[in-house]
Amino acid sequence: AAVTSAAHVIVIVGEGASVTLIETHESAPGSGHFAQTLVEFDVAEGARVKHIRINALDAASSSVSTLGADIGPAANFETLSLT
């Protein structure tokens, strides 16, 4: 039977702080998994964020991923998506 999952993640990065977030999407072979995610960042002044998204779903599965970011002055935000 197909499985559906949904997640809403909020990441708050304080002034001058730094974080690396690795987000992964995986499924069992032939599972027909559907993943829906929303990741939101609130990045304060001078903060640094590295976001890496890895999609390791099998061919029978799919996902919809949304990324949002509120980036403060002198902050740095990097994102990389791998499939």
Side-chain angles (χ1 to χ4, degrees):
V3 175
T4 299
S5 63
H8 182 189
V9 178
I10 300 172
V11 181
I12 300 171
V13 186
E15 186 173 338
S18 64
V19 66
T20 298
L21 177 76
I22 300 173
E23 172 189 351
T24 62
H25 301 270
E26 302 177 36
S27 64
S31 67
H33 185 99
F34 176 72
Q36 181 176 1
T37 58
L38 168 59
V39 178
E40 296 181 277
F41 286 89
D42 184 352
V43 184
E45 182 173 351
R48 294 176 310 282
V49 172
K50 289 184 180 179
H51 170 254
I52 301 165
R53 177 181 288 148
I54 301 169
N55 185 349
L57 297 172
D58 77 311
S61 300
S62 60
S63 70
V64 175
S65 299
T66 304
L67 175 67
D70 183 8
I71 303 170
N76 182 274
F77 187 92
E78 299 176 39
T79 187
L80 173 67
S81 292
L82 303 171
T83 57

